[in-house]
PDB file of all heavy atoms in Angstrom:
ATOM      1  N   ASP A 989      19.024 104.995 100.316  1.00  0.00           N
ATOM      2  CA  ASP A 989      20.135 104.198 100.828  1.00  0.00           C
ATOM      3  C   ASP A 989      21.243 104.156  99.769  1.00  0.00           C
ATOM      4  O   ASP A 989      21.226 103.306  98.872  1.00  0.00           O
ATOM      5  CB  ASP A 989      19.647 102.771 101.146  1.00  0.00           C
ATOM      6  CG  ASP A 989      20.758 101.922 101.748  1.00  0.00           C
ATOM      7  OD1 ASP A 989      21.892 102.422 101.873  1.00  0.00           O
ATOM      8  OD2 ASP A 989      20.487 100.759 102.095  1.00  0.00           O
ATOM      9  N   PRO A 990      22.210 105.088  99.875  1.00  0.00           N
ATOM     10  CA  PRO A 990      23.249 105.166  98.834  1.00  0.00           C
ATOM     11  C   PRO A 990      24.153 103.933  98.788  1.00  0.00           C
ATOM     12  O   PRO A 990      24.900 103.746  97.840  1.00  0.00           O
ATOM     13  CB  PRO A 990      24.059 106.400  99.227  1.00  0.00           C
ATOM     14  CG  PRO A 990      23.315 107.065 100.322  1.00  0.00           C
ATOM     15  CD  PRO A 990      22.382 106.087 100.928  1.00  0.00           C
ATOM     16  N   LYS A 991      24.090 103.092  99.842  1.00  0.00           N
ATOM     17  CA  LYS A 991      24.896 101.858  99.819  1.00  0.00           C
ATOM     18  C   LYS A 991      23.974 100.651  99.937  1.00  0.00           C
ATOM     19  O   LYS A 991      24.116  99.810 100.825  1.00  0.00           O
ATOM     20  CB  LYS A 991      25.913 101.885 100.960  1.00  0.00           C
ATOM     21  CG  LYS A 991      26.884 103.043 100.777  1.00  0.00           C
ATOM     22  CD  LYS A 991      28.112 102.919 101.598  1.00  0.00           C
ATOM     23  CE  LYS A 991      29.092 103.992 101.125  1.00  0.00           C
ATOM     24  NZ  LYS A 991      30.320 104.005 101.864  1.00  0.00           N
ATOM     25  N   LEU A 992      23.050 100.610  99.009  1.00  0.00           N
ATOM     26  CA  LEU A 992      22.023  99.565  99.043  1.00  0.00           C
ATOM     27  C   LEU A 992      22.619  98.194  98.708  1.00  0.00           C
ATOM     28  O   LEU A 992      23.337  98.039  97.722  1.00  0.00           O
ATOM     29  CB  LEU A 992      20.937  99.913  98.023  1.00  0.00           C
ATOM     30  CG  LEU A 992      19.789  98.916  97.868  1.00  0.00           C
ATOM     31  CD1 LEU A 992      18.903  98.899  99.109  1.00  0.00           C
ATOM     32  CD2 LEU A 992      18.956  99.271  96.637  1.00  0.00           C
ATOM     33  N   ARG A 993      22.286  97.216  99.539  1.00  0.00           N
ATOM     34  CA  ARG A 993      22.654  95.825  99.229  1.00  0.00           C
ATOM     35  C   ARG A 993      21.368  95.028  99.056  1.00  0.00           C
ATOM     36  O   ARG A 993      20.489  95.102  99.910  1.00  0.00           O
ATOM     37  CB  ARG A 993      23.468  95.214 100.378  1.00  0.00           C
ATOM     38  CG  ARG A 993      24.829  95.842 100.511  1.00  0.00           C
ATOM     39  CD  ARG A 993      25.644  95.185 101.616  1.00  0.00           C
ATOM     40  NE  ARG A 993      27.003  95.691 101.549  1.00  0.00           N
ATOM     41  CZ  ARG A 993      27.998  95.192 102.264  1.00  0.00           C
ATOM     42  NH1 ARG A 993      27.793  94.191 103.100  1.00  0.00           N
ATOM     43  NH2 ARG A 993      29.213  95.707 102.144  1.00  0.00           N
ATOM     44  N   THR A 994      21.289  94.303  97.964  1.00  0.00           N
ATOM     45  CA  THR A 994      20.069  93.525  97.702  1.00  0.00           C
ATOM     46  C   THR A 994      20.430  92.066  97.452  1.00  0.00           C
ATOM     47  O   THR A 994      21.543  91.754  97.029  1.00  0.00           O
ATOM     48  CB  THR A 994      19.349  94.031  96.438  1.00  0.00           C
ATOM     49  OG1 THR A 994      20.201  93.786  95.323  1.00  0.00           O
ATOM     50  CG2 THR A 994      19.021  95.506  96.513  1.00  0.00           C
ATOM     51  N   PHE A 995      19.484  91.184  97.712  1.00  0.00           N
ATOM     52  CA  PHE A 995      19.670  89.799  97.262  1.00  0.00           C
ATOM     53  C   PHE A 995      18.350  89.285  96.709  1.00  0.00           C
ATOM     54  O   PHE A 995      17.295  89.853  96.960  1.00  0.00           O
ATOM     55  CB  PHE A 995      20.222  88.899  98.368  1.00  0.00           C
ATOM     56  CG  PHE A 995      19.224  88.524  99.431  1.00  0.00           C
ATOM     57  CD1 PHE A 995      18.531  87.320  99.369  1.00  0.00           C
ATOM     58  CD2 PHE A 995      18.986  89.369 100.495  1.00  0.00           C
ATOM     59  CE1 PHE A 995      17.609  86.975 100.356  1.00  0.00           C
ATOM     60  CE2 PHE A 995      18.061  89.041 101.482  1.00  0.00           C
ATOM     61  CZ  PHE A 995      17.379  87.845 101.414  1.00  0.00           C
ATOM     62  N   TYR A 996      18.454  88.223  95.938  1.00  0.00           N
ATOM     63  CA  TYR A 996      17.257  87.672  95.289  1.00  0.00           C
ATOM     64  C   TYR A 996      17.408  86.182  95.103  1.00  0.00           C
ATOM     65  O   TYR A 996      18.515  85.632  95.149  1.00  0.00           O
ATOM     66  CB  TYR A 996      17.026  88.336  93.919  1.00  0.00           C
ATOM     67  CG  TYR A 996      18.251  88.310  93.032  1.00  0.00           C
ATOM     68  CD1 TYR A 996      18.571  87.200  92.248  1.00  0.00           C
ATOM     69  CD2 TYR A 996      19.130  89.398  93.018  1.00  0.00           C
ATOM     70  CE1 TYR A 996      19.706  87.178  91.460  1.00  0.00           C
ATOM     71  CE2 TYR A 996      20.271  89.383  92.229  1.00  0.00           C
ATOM     72  CZ  TYR A 996      20.553  88.272  91.459  1.00  0.00           C
ATOM     73  OH  TYR A 996      21.694  88.244  90.699  1.00  0.00           O
ATOM     74  N   ALA A 997      16.285  85.545  94.884  1.00  0.00           N
ATOM     75  CA  ALA A 997      16.275  84.124  94.512  1.00  0.00           C
ATOM     76  C   ALA A 997      15.143  83.982  93.514  1.00  0.00           C
ATOM     77  O   ALA A 997      14.062  84.539  93.725  1.00  0.00           O
ATOM     78  CB  ALA A 997      15.999  83.271  95.747  1.00  0.00           C
ATOM     79  N   GLY A 998      15.389  83.264  92.433  1.00  0.00           N
ATOM     80  CA  GLY A 998      14.292  83.102  91.477  1.00  0.00           C
ATOM     81  C   GLY A 998      14.745  82.474  90.183  1.00  0.00           C
ATOM     82  O   GLY A 998      15.940  82.217  89.975  1.00  0.00           O
ATOM     83  N   PRO A 999      13.783  82.194  89.284  1.00  0.00           N
ATOM     84  CA  PRO A 999      14.089  81.519  88.022  1.00  0.00           C
ATOM     85  C   PRO A 999      14.675  82.449  86.963  1.00  0.00           C
ATOM     86  O   PRO A 999      14.316  83.621  86.899  1.00  0.00           O
ATOM     87  CB  PRO A 999      12.716  80.994  87.578  1.00  0.00           C
ATOM     88  CG  PRO A 999      11.740  81.925  88.198  1.00  0.00           C
ATOM     89  CD  PRO A 999      12.349  82.437  89.470  1.00  0.00           C
ATOM     90  N   MET A1000      15.582  81.891  86.175  1.00  0.00           N
ATOM     91  CA  MET A1000      16.189  82.592  85.030  1.00  0.00           C
ATOM     92  C   MET A1000      16.020  81.660  83.822  1.00  0.00           C
ATOM     93  O   MET A1000      15.839  80.444  83.999  1.00  0.00           O
ATOM     94  CB  MET A1000      17.692  82.831  85.248  1.00  0.00           C
ATOM     95  CG  MET A1000      18.047  83.452  86.575  1.00  0.00           C
ATOM     96  SD  MET A1000      17.499  85.149  86.733  1.00  0.00           S
ATOM     97  CE  MET A1000      17.399  85.309  88.507  1.00  0.00           C
ATOM     98  N   PHE A1001      16.164  82.217  82.620  1.00  0.00           N
ATOM     99  CA  PHE A1001      15.874  81.429  81.415  1.00  0.00           C
ATOM    100  C   PHE A1001      16.960  81.641  80.363  1.00  0.00           C
ATOM    101  O   PHE A1001      17.243  82.782  79.992  1.00  0.00           O
ATOM    102  CB  PHE A1001      14.515  81.866  80.846  1.00  0.00           C
ATOM    103  CG  PHE A1001      13.400  81.739  81.853  1.00  0.00           C
ATOM    104  CD1 PHE A1001      13.174  82.744  82.789  1.00  0.00           C
ATOM    105  CD2 PHE A1001      12.612  80.606  81.884  1.00  0.00           C
ATOM    106  CE1 PHE A1001      12.164  82.621  83.734  1.00  0.00           C
ATOM    107  CE2 PHE A1001      11.593  80.468  82.830  1.00  0.00           C
ATOM    108  CZ  PHE A1001      11.373  81.487  83.760  1.00  0.00           C
ATOM    109  N   ARG A1002      17.557  80.543  79.941  1.00  0.00           N
ATOM    110  CA  ARG A1002      18.547  80.641  78.846  1.00  0.00           C
ATOM    111  C   ARG A1002      18.359  79.422  77.958  1.00  0.00           C
ATOM    112  O   ARG A1002      18.327  78.299  78.453  1.00  0.00           O
ATOM    113  CB  ARG A1002      19.985  80.641  79.402  1.00  0.00           C
ATOM    114  CG  ARG A1002      20.282  81.845  80.258  1.00  0.00           C
ATOM    115  CD  ARG A1002      21.720  81.880  80.741  1.00  0.00           C
ATOM    116  NE  ARG A1002      21.868  82.873  81.787  1.00  0.00           N
ATOM    117  CZ  ARG A1002      22.982  83.086  82.471  1.00  0.00           C
ATOM    118  NH1 ARG A1002      24.058  82.374  82.204  1.00  0.00           N
ATOM    119  NH2 ARG A1002      23.018  84.009  83.414  1.00  0.00           N
TER     120      ARG A1002
END
Side-chain angles (χ1 to χ4, degrees):
D989 183 358
K991 297 197 170 178
L992 178 69
R993 292 182 171 189
T994 65
F995 75 96
Y996 52 84
M1000 310 291 156
F1001 303 83
R1002 296 183 193 176

